[in-house]
Amino acid sequence: LLLKDMFPEATIQMISTVINPAGVTRTGGFSRTDEYIYFVMMGSAKPQALPLPDEWRGNIKGGYKDKLRWNGLQRSGTGILRSDRPNMFYPVFISEDGKRITEVGNSIPLGINRKQVETPEGSIAVWPIFPDGREGRWRLGRSTLLQLIDKHYVKLGKFRGEATSITYLARGEQLKVESGDFPTIGYADDGSVIVDESAYEAKFVPGTQWWISSHDATQRGTKTLTAIIPNVNFTFPKSPYAVRDAISFFVAENPSALIIDFFAGSGTTLHAVNLLNAEDGGNRRFIMIQLPEPCEPSSDASKAGFRTIAEISKERIRRAGKRALKQQCHEDWNKDIGFRVLKVDTSNMADV
């Protein structure tokens, strides 16, 4: 509610992300395994479809994301009957061997029995009929279907006579063919396009429940920070890989983006930006803001010589940058891990 009040014009979406699979015990309640990420999207901002590992798909059934997806021509779901859209009820004539579409008939009025429609010699009429005998309807009008046939975007399924299935490519799938994501290598007997799917890398926007191993706050948050700055126990540091992924959905196509974090803390966001730049060759910049909050005198950080949280942030940025340079980096990355520190000076104005 607070975010909506502050940004009434924004699109706000909440993500549930598992950061501790083992769970944090809560007396009298369920163990807490997740946290929430709020994305506040201003203007035209929206998450971009990216090539993601399989674990981002969760339990999504079907492997169509890695292949060209053919939609069934007969409509399913709501508004599925002939009476809902009479002009979407027409015959598609196929050859007697089921190898090609010979003709597309005209739609018929509701009062006309489909069996009165004459079938051309040597052809079989395929109507949108459900297994229980109900008359359904097609998803496309006759003229649109004819256009897609001419473009090789309509395909016949296994030959089953009058029950032969017909599929087509929706506009999004057509663009994948036309852009070369799926190179055309030939045409089937029915005229439908045959594509090479071997090199295709699926891109998609994930759902609102994330369970990604690299987002584990213990294994990739606390332990990563400890490896960089030993003997500094920071409270609940986030995994830099979780932050990297969250940022990527909005700046993957903007290699010179400027990322601002008003609460730098241990410097996880900057660490994440360096990770992303090293991976894809971007040269994104950053502004990190952190109050000079004092470290507790008895804390490990204080004993290690850090007076403030801001000092921990700066040291992590230095060390994380050096670690990034030792790993395999994209050839286009300029490897600039430097930064400047600006401090807000004291004012000569009297307190009001």
Side-chain angles (χ1 to χ4, degrees):
L1 290 177
L2 179 59
L3 288 175
K4 289 182 179 180
D5 288 341
M6 293 178 64
F7 307 104
E9 73 285 7
T11 299
I12 302 173
Q13 193 165 22
M14 183 187 77
I15 302 294
S16 172
T17 178
V18 175
I19 62 165
N20 188 344
V24 176
T25 302
R26 288 184 169 180
T27 303
F30 298 102
S31 296
R32 185 175 71 85
T33 61
D34 64 343
E35 280 190 349
Y36 302 109
I37 302 173
Y38 284 90
F39 289 95
V40 181
M41 294 167 277
M42 311 291 287
S44 60
K46 62 181 180 180
Q48 304 162 16
L50 300 177
L52 301 169
D54 287 341
E55 63 180 337
W56 281 93
R57 302 187 186 189
N59 292 321
I60 296 176
K61 296 181 179 180
Y64 64 81
K65 288 184 180 296
D66 292 322
K67 299 179 180 180
L68 202 60
R69 185 182 183 185
W70 294 82
N71 286 338
L73 182 60
Q74 184 170 345
R75 185 176 176 82
S76 59
T78 59
I80 60 175
L81 300 178
R82 173 186 179 182
S83 57
D84 294 318
R85 293 288 296 275
N87 64 325
M88 298 284 197
F89 187 78
Y90 53 85
V92 177
F93 300 109
I94 64 175
S95 59
E96 290 183 328
D97 59 6
K99 290 186 176 181
R100 59 191 178 87
I101 295 174
T102 59
E103 190 177 337
V104 178
N106 293 308
S107 59
I108 59 175
L110 278 174
I112 301 298
N113 189 319
R114 71 177 188 275
K115 295 182 180 179
Q116 295 177 314
V117 176
E118 183 177 351
T119 300
E121 184 177 352
S123 297
I124 297 172
V126 178
W127 296 85
I129 307 300
F130 288 100
D132 60 6
R134 289 180 301 160
E135 293 181 329
R137 72 173 183 88
W138 302 123
R139 292 176 183 268
L140 306 176
R142 179 179 182 273
S143 60
T144 302
L145 181 62
L146 287 171
Q147 292 174 11
L148 295 190
I149 292 174
D150 288 340
K151 293 181 177 181
H152 307 286
Y153 293 152
V154 178
K155 182 168 68 172
L156 294 176
K158 183 178 180 180
F159 182 58
R160 296 169 55 200
E162 296 178 349
T164 299
S165 64
I166 304 173
T167 56
Y168 71 98
L169 293 180
R171 184 56 186 155
E173 300 301 291
Q174 296 173 33
L175 291 175
K176 293 177 184 178
V177 176
E178 294 164 5
S179 66
D181 286 346
F182 288 102
T184 299
I185 58 176
Y187 300 96
D189 291 339
D190 61 7
S192 62
V193 65
I194 300 175
V195 299
D196 180 3
E197 299 174 330
S198 62
Y200 179 67
E201 189 174 27
K203 296 181 180 180
F204 61 98
V205 177
T208 56
Q209 300 238 337
W210 298 357
W211 190 324
I212 311 301
S213 57
S214 63
H215 294 186
D216 189 314
T218 299
Q219 301 300 321
R220 295 301 186 95
T222 301
K223 291 186 177 181
T224 295
L225 180 56
T226 301
I228 296 174
I229 309 179
N231 303 319
V232 173
N233 295 321
F234 211 87
T235 305
F236 304 121
K238 296 177 178 61
S239 164
Y241 301 94
V243 179
R244 175 205 61 187
D245 290 342
I247 293 173
S248 295
F249 288 113
F250 297 90
V251 300
E253 302 300 325
N254 186 357
S256 61
L258 175 63
I259 290 91
I260 302 177
D261 186 347
F262 292 96
F263 305 94
S266 65
T268 303
T269 299
L270 191 148
H271 189 171
V273 173
N274 275 339
L275 286 174
L276 183 58
N277 283 339
E279 289 174 3
D280 68 4
N283 294 299
R284 300 171 186 84
R285 299 158 297 152
F286 55 83
I287 297 176
M288 302 289 114
I289 302 170
Q290 177 59 49
L291 293 173
E293 180 181 347
C295 295
E296 290 290 337
S298 59
S299 67
D300 292 335
S302 181
K303 294 176 182 178
F306 297 105
R307 295 173 301 171
T308 66
I309 300 299
E311 289 184 358
I312 297 176
S313 301
K314 291 183 287 184
E315 188 59 26
R316 179 188 185 164
I317 293 169
R318 297 186 186 100
R319 298 188 186 186
K322 292 178 181 178
R323 283 167 61 97
L325 293 178
K326 294 179 180 179
Q327 300 171 0
Q328 185 174 0
C329 304
H330 195 285
E331 60 182 7
D332 293 334
W333 184 33
N334 63 16
K335 297 181 175 60
D336 183 1
I337 59 171
F339 64 95
R340 296 177 179 177
V341 177
L342 303 178
K343 298 182 179 180
V344 178
D345 203 354
T346 55
S347 173
N348 60 0
M349 296 180 64
D351 292 338
V352 178

